[in-house]
Every structure is written in C-alpha cells, then in structure tokens.
Amino acid sequence: METAGLMPMTALAYGTIPIISIVGGLYDTFNSENCIEVYDNDVKAAITRAANLYQDKKEFRKMRNICMSQDISWITRKQDYINLYEQ
C-alpha cells in the first residue's frame, strides 16, 4: 500500500492496480475506477477486494484498461493548478 503519489501513478501506466489510501493530493488522480481504496485503515479488506477483482477476469481487464489509458502527465494536470492560482 502506497500513501504517496509517485508509485501508484507509475502503477497505472503499467496496468498494476494500486491499493491506496485516498489522502491529500491522491484525490486528484485516484478513484474507485482506477484503484483499490483502503477504507478505515482496513488493509485486509482492500486486499480481499483486490483478490476478488483478480478472479473476475472481465472486470480486472476493464479496470486495467482504465488505469493504462489515463493521461496523468503534467501536460494535462497543469491547467488545474493554473486555474487554482488564478482565482
């Protein structure tokens, strides 16, 4: 489980579905469509959900495709920051 952003963002590019706690800046990139979320510090439940997802090959492939197709580069992200600072 990674609580910082670099490793889960790298995982997306390679189709590895990250298991993460959605905190801080991770809200900008992650949601239930592209990660397994840890709720209430229950890592065991998150791992169980990940194992169940892996068993459902159709849903697993669907989530992997979503992960790998996201453009999380600075090119697409910078406008959000520009808009924030211009307000």
Side-chain angles (χ1 to χ4, degrees), residues 1 5-6 16 21 26 34-35 41-43 46 48 51 55-56 58 62-63 67 70-71 76 78 80 86-87:
M1 182 178 74
L6 187 56
T16 304
S21 294
L26 295 178
N34 63 7
C35 75
N41 293 320
D42 193 350
V43 176
T48 300
Q55 295 301 315
D56 184 343
K58 182 178 179 183
K62 180 181 171 183
M63 188 178 243
C67 289
Q70 284 190 276
D71 182 358
T76 60
K78 69 181 176 183
D80 292 338
E86 287 181 342
Q87 292 181 0

Side-chain angles (χ1 to χ4, degrees), residues 27-81:
Y27 280 114
D28 296 342
T29 305
F30 295 97
N31 56 55
S32 61
E33 291 185 345
N34 63 7
C35 75
I36 304 294
E37 298 172 274
V38 176
Y39 302 110
D40 300 322
N41 293 320
D42 193 350
V43 176
K44 183 178 177 182
I47 292 170
T48 300
R49 288 195 313 278
N52 291 338
L53 175 65
Y54 183 75
Q55 295 301 315
D56 184 343
K57 298 299 183 192
K58 182 178 179 183
E59 285 301 312
F60 181 70
R61 279 190 217 103
K62 180 181 171 183
M63 188 178 243
R64 282 184 73 194
N65 288 338
I66 289 169
C67 289
M68 294 174 75
S69 66
Q70 284 190 276
D71 182 358
I72 55 172
S73 68
W74 182 243
I75 294 168
T76 60
R77 297 298 168 142
K78 69 181 176 183
Q79 191 59 48
D80 292 338
Y81 287 99

